Amino acid sequence: SWKRRDLMSLMDKISNQPQHTQVRMNITGTDGIGKSTFGASAPKPIFICAEDGLRYIDVPHFPVCETYNDILQQIKTLGSENHDYKTIVLDTTDAAEKLCQEQVKESHNIKTIEALGFGKGYTESLELFHRILKNLEALSTEKKMHVILLSHVQIRIFADPEHEPYDRYELNTHKKIASLIRAWVDFNFFANHLVTTVKSGQGFNEKHRGKTYSDKRYLFTKRTAAFDAKSRLTLPEKINFTWPSFVSECKKLTNATATTKPTINEGGQNV
C-alpha cells in the first residue's frame, strides 16, 4: 500500500550522523569582558550590530541597525548574496529586543509597550525576536554559517522554590526572550573572570575577607546558582575564553572512538 511505501522511504532516511556542524552559541557576560572580541575571532565573521559596540574592533560589519527591519534585511542579504563569511554575530540580543519593542510600538502607534495591556506588547516583541532567530537558522543552514549571539547581563533576584531568594546573573532581556534564546542555542556560555574567595582563620573563627579576580577570562559551560549555562557536548566546566580553545575542546570529544561513552548530553543540558 502507499502507506507502507511512505514508511519504507522514511526508514531509509534514518541516520546516526548529525545533520549540521555549524555552531549556534550565546555568550553572556558583563560589559568589557570581551564578548565582541570573541565573536571577531570566530572563522570569517561578520557582525550585525543592534548597538554601536565595535568602535575599537576591526571586523567586518553592517551599518548599525536603527530598526527591526534593518536586522532582517541584513540577514536576508547574507542569505541571498555570494560571500565567503563563515560566522554571523548578533551584537547584542538585548539591543535587538529593544528594536523589536520599537517595532511593536510603531505598529500600534503607542508610546510604551505596556500600553497594549495584559503583556500583549511583550508577546508581540517575542514573536518578532523569534523571527530573527528563524532567519538566522535558515541562514546557518543554507550558507553553512556559525551563529554567535552576544548578550549583556543584569543581576536579578531568583525566587528558588527550595531556598531563600538570591541574586544571580541573567540575560538582560524579557524572561520569555531569554528562555527562547537558551532553548535555541546549542551552547549557552557565561563569560567571566575566575573569582576566588579569600578566607582567614580556622574552624568557627574562619571568616570570608573578600574576593579576588583572576586576570584570565573563561567561558563557563555549566549552570550554577549564579548564572545559566548549557552545552550539548560534555565540555569541561570552564574553558579559556577564545574560539580556538572552544574548538579544541569540541574536537577532543567528537574525535573520540565509537566505543567511548557518548558525549552528547541528554536533553541538551549540561548541569
Side-chain angles (χ1 to χ4, degrees), residues 4-249:
R4 182 169 180 81
R5 288 197 301 270
D6 286 350
L7 179 61
M8 291 301 294
S9 64
L10 287 175
M11 295 294 289
D12 291 339
K13 295 178 181 179
I14 294 175
S15 172
N16 289 333
Q17 297 299 319
Q19 290 184 331
H20 307 291
T21 57
Q22 285 70 48
V23 168
R24 294 198 312 214
M25 176 187 297
N26 178 58
I27 302 293
T28 305
T30 55
D31 292 342
I33 195 66
K35 298 184 296 294
S36 297
T37 300
F38 178 89
S41 68
K44 294 184 179 180
I46 183 167
F47 277 61
I48 290 180
C49 301
E51 63 179 28
D52 187 10
L54 292 179
R55 285 175 289 177
Y56 302 104
I57 300 177
D58 184 12
V59 64
H61 61 278
F62 289 105
V64 176
C65 297
E66 297 181 357
T67 67
Y68 166 77
N69 287 326
D70 286 343
I71 297 178
L72 292 186
Q73 186 57 50
Q74 291 177 11
I75 297 173
K76 290 177 181 179
T77 296
L78 288 171
S80 60
E81 300 289 340
N82 293 326
H83 59 81
D84 63 349
Y85 296 115
K86 299 298 182 183
T87 305
I88 177 70
V89 183
L90 177 61
D91 188 11
T92 59
T93 60
D94 31 311
E97 180 195 26
K98 290 179 182 178
L99 294 181
C100 291
Q101 293 181 359
E102 290 299 321
Q103 180 65 34
V104 172
K105 290 191 291 184
E106 181 179 338
S107 298
H108 293 276
N109 192 26
I110 54 179
K111 292 185 179 180
T112 66
I113 196 167
E114 291 88 356
L116 290 180
F118 302 104
K120 291 181 178 179
Y122 292 107
T123 298
E124 288 194 22
S125 176
L126 173 67
E127 293 171 353
L128 294 180
F129 196 93
H130 185 257
R131 189 180 303 171
I132 291 175
L133 295 185
K134 292 296 291 183
N135 277 269
L136 288 172
E137 184 174 341
L139 175 64
S140 175
T141 300
E142 294 169 9
K143 293 291 187 176
K144 308 300 181 185
M145 297 181 71
H146 302 299
V147 179
I148 299 178
L149 311 177
L150 306 181
S151 302
H152 291 119
V153 293
Q154 64 174 322
I155 297 176
R156 286 175 172 158
I157 297 177
F158 181 70
D160 191 325
E162 296 182 334
H163 303 91
E164 292 294 324
Y166 54 87
D167 291 343
R168 73 194 309 259
Y169 289 107
E170 295 186 3
L171 272 72
N172 190 26
T173 62
H174 190 278
K175 291 185 177 181
K176 289 184 178 179
I177 288 183
S179 179
L180 176 64
I181 291 171
R182 292 195 301 268
W184 186 78
V185 297
D186 301 312
F187 303 95
N188 183 40
F189 294 150
F190 182 74
N192 201 5
H193 298 277
L194 183 64
V195 181
T196 58
T197 302
V198 178
K199 300 179 181 179
S200 65
Q202 294 181 349
F204 292 108
N205 294 321
E206 184 178 78
K207 295 181 180 180
H208 296 271
R209 299 189 59 186
K211 297 180 179 179
T212 61
Y213 293 81
S214 167
D215 290 336
K216 200 166 185 179
R217 294 167 295 181
Y218 293 95
L219 287 174
F220 293 88
T221 70
K222 297 182 180 180
R223 186 183 187 278
T224 71
F227 52 80
D228 276 314
K230 83 168 187 181
S231 171
R232 294 201 185 276
L233 297 175
T234 311
L235 297 172
E237 183 176 349
K238 67 178 187 298
I239 59 179
N240 291 332
F241 192 14
T242 67
W243 178 265
S245 295
F246 165 71
V247 172
S248 176
E249 293 296 339

